[in-house]
Amino acid sequence: MKPLKRSRQLHGWLATLMLVMLILTVTGCGSGKKDSDAADSPSRKGDLTLVVGAYSVVKDAMEEILPIFAAKWKADTGQTLEFQQSYEASGTQARAIAGGFEADVTLLAMEGDVDKLVKAGLVQPNWKSKGGEDGMVTRSVVALGTREGNPKGIHSFADLAKPGIKVLYPNPKTSGGAQWDINAIYGAGLKLSEEQEGVKDPVAAKAFLERVHANVESLDKSGRASMAAFEYGVGDVIVTYENELLARIAKGVKYEVIIPQDTILIENPLAVVDKYAEKHGTREAADALVAYLLTPQAQEIFAKHGFRPVNKQVYAANESHYPIPTGLFDIQYLGGWDEVRSTLYSKRGIWYQVLAGI
């Protein structure tokens, strides 16, 4: 009986040993497969979501561009890329990002709004050197949109100050586009004073802005909101981006586009929001999107939506669509953004005084 007992014990021990080896083999195979998958491609870890926070005017162009970029990213990396998109007035968007809306990439109306994100520690100070034409992705000019046939005979910013003319532009407190509008009108006042007096006269330019603002019907929160109000029937003339008018005309809306002789060149920046892109692990995709927005393919789409491309090749192909007014000036004519923020938009600046009637 003892040999039989030992034999049964031996068989039991062998069976247990084989079971343990089988478990270890299966577990080892599963672990090896998982490691292989992880090393193969980031796409096998699942989809990647890229958060885009942009100013409202660029919405239509971006909604056409992003699926094309996603298809390119899929072909290049095997990874499915999805987007969370937000479009607001530029100032509102910048404040939202600074306040915790974790956008990976941002397109804003003006350099100053990106500077707010630099000061918040979200964007690296050297963002302008990382892409575009000194950090810019599109250009435009401030233009005037009138009803079909231009029934009020509007041809310049000075015409906006005529009695009975109802003017629309958004609020520069919330809208970067509105700051471009105000900059254009104030700059046109400086140009006029130069012609009449031989020097730039800020007092005359402020008076010029006051006369125009006296005819403003309402201050909407964004350029898009002003456009919607104008199309609803409010006002005689809208001060806005040239590209906004061209895009609406392409969709069948009847506008007359008036580009004043003296107006400002608009430049729109883009940047990776470094802190959030690093936090989300989306840095590579964010950098790739910024680079793609500057390619001829993306710039052609911006041009289709009325923007003046920063890509020289694409601009040259579309140059005939974008007349250059004789008195065109840029932000440096007003002293640069630091000077503009200080003189026009500070707490007791010129814009505040115009609103307060002082």
Side-chain angles (χ1 to χ4, degrees):
M1 296 295 292
K2 288 182 181 179
L4 180 60
K5 184 176 181 180
R6 283 198 299 271
S7 176
R8 287 175 178 171
Q9 288 173 338
L10 180 60
H11 281 298
W13 180 82
L14 287 172
T16 301
L17 179 60
M18 290 177 67
L19 179 61
V20 170
M21 290 178 67
L22 180 62
I23 291 171
L24 288 174
T25 301
V26 171
T27 305
C29 288
S31 176
K33 187 175 188 300
K34 188 179 290 184
D35 290 345
S36 173
D37 281 354
D40 267 355
S41 166
S43 66
R44 301 194 183 179
K45 294 181 180 178
D47 297 343
L48 183 69
T49 298
L50 203 59
V51 184
V52 177
Y55 70 111
S56 58
V57 173
V58 80
K59 182 176 186 286
D60 292 342
M62 287 298 290
E63 288 188 337
E64 184 172 345
I65 289 170
L66 290 177
I68 300 172
F69 173 71
K72 182 180 184 303
W73 182 261
K74 177 78 170 179
D76 291 346
T77 69
Q79 189 172 36
T80 299
L81 185 61
E82 297 179 349
F83 298 98
Q84 179 185 335
Q85 302 172 60
S86 169
Y87 299 94
E88 293 284 352
S90 186
T92 301
Q93 189 68 269
R95 285 190 293 274
I97 295 170
F101 169 52
E102 297 187 359
D104 300 302
V105 174
T106 188
L107 291 84
L108 296 171
M110 58 186 187
E111 183 179 327
D113 284 335
V114 180
D115 288 340
K116 293 174 186 175
L117 305 183
V118 173
K119 290 176 183 176
L122 302 175
V123 173
Q124 294 177 5
N126 64 340
W127 65 272
K128 292 177 73 175
S129 67
K130 293 186 174 183
E133 187 71 22
D134 200 23
M136 304 301 150
V137 64
T138 53
R139 294 190 178 104
S140 190
V141 297
V142 172
L144 307 175
T146 74
R147 306 296 176 189
E148 187 176 13
N150 192 8
K152 299 289 185 176
I154 303 295
H155 299 289
S156 68
F157 288 120
D159 291 333
L160 305 188
K162 290 178 178 178
I165 301 296
K166 298 177 181 178
V167 181
L168 287 185
Y169 52 67
N171 189 340
K173 184 176 180 179
T174 58
S175 168
Q179 289 196 25
W180 284 116
D181 298 339
I182 301 304
N183 295 347
I185 298 167
Y186 180 77
L190 287 177
K191 286 271 189 178
L192 183 62
S193 71
E194 268 193 304
E195 292 171 13
Q196 295 175 346
E197 305 169 24
V199 293
K200 290 192 285 189
D201 183 355
V203 175
K206 176 192 171 187
F208 184 81
L209 178 58
E210 285 174 328
R211 291 195 296 274
V212 173
H213 186 69
N215 282 342
V216 169
E217 283 281 277
S218 65
L219 290 174
D220 297 296
K221 75 170 188 175
S222 71
R224 276 293 165 91
S226 281
M227 186 67 71
F230 190 68
E231 291 184 5
Y232 189 72
V234 178
D236 302 310
V237 58
I238 183 169
V239 185
T240 188
Y241 289 8
E242 172 193 47
N243 57 275
E244 276 284 78
L245 297 169
L246 295 179
R248 297 304 293 155
I249 289 170
K251 293 184 177 181
V253 181
K254 303 298 184 182
Y255 280 114
E256 297 292 331
V257 181
I258 311 299
I259 299 180
Q261 173 182 307
D262 297 325
T263 191
I264 196 166
L265 176 68
I266 295 168
E267 296 185 290
N268 310 121
L270 82 165
V272 173
V273 186
D274 301 282
K275 183 174 180 178
Y276 294 147
E278 295 290 348
K279 176 182 177 181
H280 301 157
T282 57
R283 181 74 205 215
E284 185 180 357
D287 283 341
L289 175 58
V290 166
Y292 179 73
L293 292 175
L294 303 164
T295 64
Q297 186 179 28
Q299 289 281 300
E300 283 285 3
I301 294 173
F302 280 123
K304 170 185 169 183
H305 287 272
F307 293 93
R308 298 185 177 212
V310 297
N311 181 286
K312 292 179 175 60
Q313 171 189 336
V314 178
Y315 181 80
N318 292 275
E319 190 172 5
S320 62
H321 301 150
Y322 302 115
I324 299 177
T326 56
L328 184 68
F329 56 91
D330 61 18
I331 197 67
Q332 294 307 317
Y333 178 75
L334 303 182
W337 275 113
D338 287 344
E339 178 70 15
V340 166
R341 283 191 289 268
S342 173
T343 59
L344 273 171
Y345 303 113
S346 63
K347 190 173 181 180
R348 301 287 295 180
I350 290 170
W351 176 247
Y352 170 87
Q353 295 172 36
V354 168
L355 284 181
I358 58 178

